[in-house]
Amino acid sequence: MRSLARGGTKVALLLCALSALATPGSAAAGEPGGGSVPSTVDCTVAGGEANVNLDCPDQMFPVGEPHVAVDPRDPRHIVATAMNDAECCIQFSTSFDAGKTWTTGSMSSQAPPAGMMATAADTSVAFDHRHRTVVHASLSALVNESGEAGDFDVVANVSEDGGQTWGAAVLIKRGEGFGDPQEGNDKPWITSDTNPSSRFYGRLYVTWDEPVGTPASFAKTAEPGPVLESHSDDGGRTWSKPQVISGASDRYCTYTGLGSRRGRCDRNTFSFPAVAPDGTVYVAFANLQNKRAWERGERFEDQYLVVRSENGGRSWKPPRHVVNMEDGTRDYPTNSSAAQVLSGFQFAVTAFGNLAADPDSGRLHLVFSDNRAGRTDSPNPVTRTDVFVVSSRDGKSWSRARRISRRGGTSGCPSPTSTLAPAALGSYTSIRARKGATSMT
């Protein structure tokens, strides 16, 4: 989620929009079932072109942080979701004809208590064919009268008709508090075991991080937290008790930060789960605790770690090191909010991509981006970012980073936003924002 809506940050524009558009409810904060805003279908959008706007014609405010999921058994079936800056609820768009037509609407959500407004973020979707559901995971939060966002719950919404209507939000992990500090959650991501021959076929997994001490943001001064996991065996209707899975490493997790025990890997963000054909679950996450990877005069260069479970999420192996990144405190320019940016821009960027497992071989591929080709380790860094991929047969040992983006001709392209997803015949698609456009290769 963007730092705009976290913690003590005043969100005047968001609060103004929500005051005008949202209806306060009577449910207790973060209490699914105590009151719910039902899902709605708002319009039908004609597609079939290279670029299609999925928003309804009367929509006033933009959406952000979109996610697209394709049905692994029917590539014509697509569900796209995104956070809506001025509404209580996640926007969804569903197509059953390969994008020729779309149904766009608003996801169901928890009803806010009196005097507060609801908001939502960090959206992802998975298909569960065993239980005939489409399941959406996100953050559900509240904005109080002072403009502070808080009570960041991890929730799931279940659709039994392929993504046209969605049930009430199901609580996975409650968040509590407003301002700084608070006990919240951030960046949930969902995946499913889609292989009928797997012992855990139909199991859904959600992972997220739990910020510690300060609300999460894109600023390098923020302290992320441990990675948690929960799973469901009934199509997303109920979930296991959340557990910390990020583990410990005396070699790679040496920074202790806010009182952490040495060796505990609990300063993590952007976790992504993926399931191999044999049912092994892998979770990749960015971690900032490898002090040996920090270069002189700077802090918080990230590394990627991966944990795995061979028994359906009941227990997890210790983290394995994947790659060190060039994204420390002197490797990118920053804006007025201390967030890292590309040269010449003010919007926040991150260097994190995601993890995918080949549906046939199970080979893992992790994409990320950083500024190793730019001017780094400097009080005045200049970006020339690239997108990289690393691969592994078993999650234990990993290949060297290989650049997959075309070398940019300007300092701001491509940006560090990249996504890797399995496509037809085991091929992969990399999508990344570029200056003035979005390219797909």
Side-chain angles (χ1 to χ4, degrees), residues 238-254:
T238 61
W239 293 83
S240 66
K241 181 180 179 180
Q243 59 178 326
V244 174
I245 64 170
S246 38
S249 171
D250 290 334
R251 176 178 175 85
Y252 292 108
C253 296
T254 55

Side-chain angles (χ1 to χ4, degrees), residues 67 189-191 207 270-276 280-285 304-308 316 322 352-358 362-368 389-392 394-395 398 418-422 428:
H67 176 249
W189 199 264
I190 189 170
T191 193
T207 64
F270 284 94
S271 66
F272 288 97
V275 184
T280 301
V281 190
Y282 299 90
V283 179
F285 52 90
Y304 258 112
L305 301 176
V306 168
V307 294
R308 74 183 191 279
W316 295 81
V322 179
F352 311 121
N354 74 334
L355 178 70
D358 188 298
R363 189 169 182 82
L364 301 168
H365 302 276
L366 174 71
V367 290
F368 68 95
V389 63
V390 290
S391 302
S392 174
D394 55 9
W398 291 80
S418 57
T419 299
L420 189 70
Y428 290 83

Side-chain angles (χ1 to χ4, degrees), residues 2-59:
R2 303 179 327 283
S3 58
L4 173 66
R6 295 303 303 230
T9 305
K10 306 302 181 185
V11 285
L13 175 61
L14 176 62
L15 184 60
C16 176
L18 287 170
S19 298
L21 297 173
T23 302
S26 57
E31 188 85 18
S36 179
V37 178
S39 69
T40 60
V41 173
D42 300 326
C43 68
T44 300
V45 178
E49 300 177 359
N51 296 287
V52 178
N53 184 355
L54 299 181
D55 299 344
C56 292
D58 59 349
Q59 186 167 313

Side-chain angles (χ1 to χ4, degrees), residues 69 103 152 172 245 248 321 333-334 354 390 429 436:
T103 298
F152 285 88
I172 299 176
I245 64 170
H321 180 264
T334 58
N354 74 334
V390 290
T429 300

Side-chain angles (χ1 to χ4, degrees), residues 55-403:
D55 299 344
C56 292
D58 59 349
Q59 186 167 313
M60 293 186 297
F61 294 92
V63 298
E65 300 185 6
H67 176 249
V68 179
V70 179
D71 189 331
R73 293 189 181 177
D74 181 5
R76 298 170 300 173
H77 183 194
I78 308 166
V79 178
T81 55
M83 57 184 284
N84 192 326
D85 282 346
E87 297 281 358
C88 68
C89 311
I90 296 293
Q91 177 175 305
F92 70 88
S93 298
T94 301
S95 176
F96 292 91
D97 56 11
K100 295 178 181 178
T101 57
W102 297 82
T103 298
T104 291
S106 297
M107 193 79 63
S108 55
S109 74
Q110 303 173 46
M116 293 191 182
M117 276 71 69
T119 187
D122 295 354
T123 170
S124 61
V125 174
F127 291 87
D128 179 359
H129 279 285
R130 181 173 186 177
H131 302 100
R132 300 181 180 179
T133 60
V134 183
V135 185
H136 169 263
S138 67
L139 290 179
S140 177
L142 297 172
V143 181
N144 65 20
E145 293 177 340
S146 299
E148 296 174 321
D151 285 2
F152 285 88
D153 298 339
V154 179
V155 299
N157 298 88
V158 178
S159 174
E160 298 178 349
D161 58 9
Q164 299 175 92
T165 59
W166 301 83
V170 178
L171 181 67
I172 299 176
K173 174 67 166 63
R174 188 184 307 281
E176 296 180 352
F178 289 79
D180 181 11
Q182 60 178 280
E183 183 179 335
N185 305 287
D186 202 20
K187 301 177 181 63
W189 199 264
I190 189 170
T191 193
S192 60
D193 189 330
T194 60
N195 188 352
S197 64
S198 166
R199 289 186 296 155
F200 310 105
Y201 172 54
R203 181 166 289 184
L204 294 153
Y205 301 88
V206 173
T207 64
W208 66 95
D209 63 87
E210 191 175 61
V212 176
T214 62
S217 75
F218 284 139
K220 271 292 180 180
T221 55
E223 294 274 2
V227 175
L228 286 82
E229 179 270 343
S230 178
H231 47 268
S232 171
D233 287 319
D234 59 5
R237 298 173 181 89
T238 61
W239 293 83
S240 66
K241 181 180 179 180
Q243 59 178 326
V244 174
I245 64 170
S246 38
S249 171
D250 290 334
R251 176 178 175 85
Y252 292 108
C253 296
T254 55
Y255 171 70
T256 54
L258 298 174
S260 297
R261 297 203 326 249
R262 181 178 174 85
R264 186 69 60 185
C265 300
D266 55 4
R267 295 292 178 263
N268 314 301
T269 189
F270 284 94
S271 66
F272 288 97
V275 184
D278 65 356
T280 301
V281 190
Y282 299 90
V283 179
F285 52 90
N287 172 280
L288 55 70
Q289 293 175 270
N290 188 0
K291 292 179 68 173
R292 294 187 304 170
W294 300 358
E295 291 157 325
R296 175 177 291 185
E298 66 179 345
R299 309 171 73 198
F300 301 149
E301 285 183 304
D302 286 291
Q303 61 182 341
Y304 258 112
L305 301 176
V306 168
V307 294
R308 74 183 191 279
S309 173
E310 299 170 353
N311 55 14
R314 289 195 298 272
S315 62
W316 295 81
K317 302 294 185 181
R320 293 285 186 136
H321 180 264
V322 179
V323 65
N324 293 329
M325 301 166 68
E326 191 72 18
D327 68 339
T329 51
R330 286 160 45 94
D331 293 332
Y332 281 77
T334 58
N335 61 17
S336 59
S337 299
Q340 293 184 327
V341 299
L342 299 178
S343 297
F345 294 89
Q346 283 295 299
F347 56 83
V349 295
T350 71
F352 311 121
N354 74 334
L355 178 70
D358 188 298
D360 296 321
S361 69
R363 189 169 182 82
L364 301 168
H365 302 276
L366 174 71
V367 290
F368 68 95
S369 140
D370 65 23
N371 193 34
R372 63 187 65 186
R375 185 168 73 199
T376 61
D377 310 322
S378 166
N380 299 296
V382 175
T383 58
R384 193 184 181 195
T385 58
D386 286 302
V387 179
F388 299 90
V389 63
V390 290
S391 302
S392 174
R393 179 180 57 83
D394 55 9
K396 300 176 184 178
S397 59
W398 291 80
S399 67
R400 286 179 171 272
R402 176 171 61 90
R403 180 170 59 85

